[in-house]
Amino acid sequence: MKKIALFLFLLNTMFLFAQKEISGVVKDKSGAPLPGVNILEKGTTNGVSTDFEGGYIIKVKEGAVLIFSYIGYSSVEKSATNNKTDITLDQSGGQILNDVVVVGSRNAKRTVVNSAVPIDVINVKDVTTQSGKLEINELLQYVAPSFNANKQSGSDGADHVDPASLRGMGPDQTLVLINGKRRHQSSLINLFGTRGRGNTGTDLNAIPAASIKRIEILRDGAAAQYGSDAIAGVINIVTNDNVNEFTGAVTYGAFNTDAKGDFPVGTANTEGFRLDKHGNGNTFGKDQNFDGGSLKVSANYGLPIGTKGGYVNVTGEFLNKNKTLRPGFDFRKGFGEAEIQGVNLFVNFAVPISEKTQFYAFGGSNFRDTDAYAFTRNDGERVVESIYPGGYTPRITSKINDNSIAAGIRTETSGGWKMDFSNTLGQNKFHYDIKGTINASLEDKSPLEFDAGGHSLLQNTTNFDVSKNYGDILSGLNLAFGAEFRVEKFEIFAGEEGSYATYDTNGKPITDPTSQSAPIDPISGEPRPGGSQGFPGYSPLNEVNKSRTNFSLYTDAELDISEAWMVSGAVRYENYSDFGSTVNGKLASRLKITDHINLRGSVSTGFRAPSLAQIYYNLRFTNFSTAGATEVLLAPNDSEITRAFGIQKLNEEKAVNASLGFTANFGDFTATIDGYLINVKDRIVLTGYFDASALPGNIDKAQFFVNGVDTKTTGLDVVFAWKKTINENRFGATLVGNINDMKIDKVKNGNLDEKTFFGERDKAFLLASAPPSKFGLNLNYGRKWFDAGLAFTRFSEVKLLDYQMDEDPEDYRTSPTETDAQVFANQKKAATDTYGAKIVTDLTLGFKVSKSTKISIGANNLLNIYPDQQDDWVEAGGYWDAVQMGFSGAYYYARLGFNF
């Protein structure tokens, strides 16, 4: 690290070379100044961006040509013959891969093609108007090569907040920024059958799509630049700042219920129309051809403030989405996507204070009321028959509140130093209500609905960033440094008593299990369990109120040694109040081989701090498997119980990243190909279930968070893009792809049994979160009032292990002479659920009926393709797991869009 620091110091002391100075102002056709326009000296990497009032100053060689580009506007080339050059840009769909980016570099002149690391730039307006995807995760799943997100069923909170990841890493190993500022995570920690279990993540769906100008995805380790969580990369969401324009859309769609497959009688969409005698809504739906009906209404409007580039841009969004019902096994009557009712508001604001100083603020509020199926309680599975004859399916409903606000001041000194001081506050609150349920220990006196409590996470981040671009040092030097202070607070709050308590035969809560007993279930012969079935409430013993602080210092530099060769470096120091300090570094370089081809690469170290949820989360719950119901205690990492089982204190995950790739730009065609390596040590996972029968309180098993495995991930990202206009015909084709291979190098079980600590099923789940490949081909055509889009996405094969892997291996012995290894292989073969590769087809047709109105119709998964049906117990309890392509089938939609 000392060598890197010395390298950065030397960059700041190099000799200056004089050049011709050009200045001017860039405006749109209405005369409004355009801040952030990218200005590049053609054939070089020398460039700047416009300030808050659209002004710029750039030093260039004699006879230079300047290229002015801005997202959503046509690029303009202008000879730098006059010292004063003003430019007016027209709106159009510009070449995305040539646009300036915010993420991955603190250099304002960097574009996707000339960056040293791979970056995707996604124009959200284009994507949302040419597909039926309703949420950000769905959009990115089909346009970003290494992004993965899945809808869940039977995974408790993960049914309500979709886990999302980059390059097969965990959901918490990707950092999310809004306008370059750190976004708070969700308070939810993923458990049970979900992807990324044991991880927390950021709820991207809490951000309205209509508020977003573009999404920048940095596919490279960036902890040395941005801090914890950036092991896999960074997603930066840039919000709208346009004015004098009102845009909106009304979209309605529904799913085809014809789930293809040879399902047993009684498991299709007609299954389970039982309404309990209290009429509490425990039905699954009607026999219908379509379900999951979704209505989304969005609107965005911006107003100018003053005449010097100030603005306020406001977005509102409403979503109402019904459940889907898909075939489940007889032990899982309700299986499908959750119901969602959500309201989103987002505001982006900026106003000049002086000629080179601007005050800005942005933030939003998201509220979602969700309703998802839990596992069915059938006959003999702790059912109170007088209330639910024949069984019932509890429903986990949640109220999610996600709020954030950021504010700051940006300024530029007379010496050219850019400064940005900001504060960002965000909070996510997750509150559970369990419906269509019972507390079985209260028998027929039980309420049928419980407030089960919940959890929240608050994060406040204060930033101070400083940067300066020296255009005269060699071919350009950009220096940046800064400091950050962050406070995090995690809480678990208890629900009502009936949601967690076990009651005795007199209806009083049992406080001493050795002296009193719960009623006996006449079918199972076991004591009736307490707490709300489907999801147990948090008790006062589960309550948590923990916080920590983090302080960091960082610096980075980018030097264009020549027009062809750029090098960059970064160093970051972090200190956490709960586990100590880390220092991480990064080196990257880009070499211009020809005028059209660049070679690039990077190497870095990184880390991810254990989340407060991973350290302090705890819960007692009922787990269902082929062995029946099991009472499980998920113990907090800092507890005496955890230490008694030999589990150590959580430390940070440590990573080494390397990438090598190239970019090519030949007029209408752009290509990027990047290989990568990600080694992660001490990765935090959830263990299997340890025998805890010796613990008080009728506990069968115990589970823990641990620094449990080391992984090695190698892969390749590919993006090919082509755009061409021939007469009045607009053509476009994009191929995106990801090839990924994760291996578990080591299970760090110490003296504990590996099968229990992190067994074969646990390994398969972790590896399945990194699918071997995903490829997408997107074709677009437009002419005058008509446009069309056709997309093909190929999802690779995924293999999981079901609960047969937990059964007695001797059950799979086929002859007395078989070795233990052969018996294990038999069991693994029987337990393997193989989901073969599938191709999903999307189609959209757009018709512009007037200057301001457009109608679109289309289908996601047009051919109604489903994952391969599994005939044995799968994790989710339906005939499919939550694999890449989803399990709800074809979705048909229509949209009315308007722009005034």
Side-chain angles (χ1 to χ4, degrees), residues 160-161 366-368 370 398-402 428-430:
H160 311 255
V161 177
N366 170 255
F367 172 76
R368 272 176 290 169
T370 63
S398 66
K399 290 180 172 58
I400 304 171
N401 289 273
D402 201 294
N428 175 273
K429 184 177 181 181
F430 208 112

Side-chain angles (χ1 to χ4, degrees), residues 494-516:
E496 62 180 293
E497 182 183 84
S499 72
Y500 60 81
T502 302
Y503 294 88
D504 64 16
T505 53
N506 296 317
K508 296 181 179 180
I510 297 175
T511 56
D512 182 1
T514 63
S515 61
Q516 301 181 65

